[in-house]
Amino acid sequence: MNASKFFAVAALATVASFGAHADEADGSQFAVQFNSTRSVAEVRAEATAKVTNHSQEPAGSRVLASAPSTIERAAVRAQAAEAVRLGQLPRGEASYM
């Protein structure tokens, strides 16, 4: 008897909770009414101007041109090899620490 009363109360609470969430099917409560001060032609002209001036390239995505160097490639490689021999540059897994 106790269990049946519990299930009856639970079923009633479930049905009541569904009723609390009822709304109109078209969602008309979210419709917004406003009056525009600009004409349709003015808005279309602004949208067209934005589209024609829009760049598909994200801002800051350009790569800078490399700076001209006065040092030759062989000299840089020799300096790097010497730094590794002297232990000035980490190598292998030690570089992750």
Side-chain angles (χ1 to χ4, degrees):
M1 186 71 180
N2 240 356
S4 64
K5 285 183 182 179
F6 175 74
F7 287 122
V9 170
L12 183 63
T14 303
V15 171
S17 69
F18 284 123
H21 297 291
D23 188 18
E24 294 182 22
D26 63 352
S28 62
Q29 68 180 359
F30 299 111
V32 177
Q33 298 291 331
F34 63 92
N35 296 324
S36 178
T37 58
R38 295 173 17 174
S39 67
V40 174
E42 187 180 345
V43 172
R44 284 188 182 155
E46 182 182 349
T48 305
K50 291 264 186 192
V51 169
T52 57
N53 295 335
H54 181 70
S55 173
Q56 294 293 334
E57 184 177 310
S61 66
R62 290 198 179 227
V63 177
L64 294 176
S66 60
S69 178
T70 57
I71 304 172
E72 293 184 15
R73 180 183 301 257
V76 172
R77 291 178 66 94
Q79 289 174 357
E82 184 180 352
V84 169
R85 275 194 303 274
L86 296 175
Q88 295 172 342
L89 296 177
R91 50 181 277 226
E93 293 180 6
S95 63
Y96 294 115
M97 292 185 189

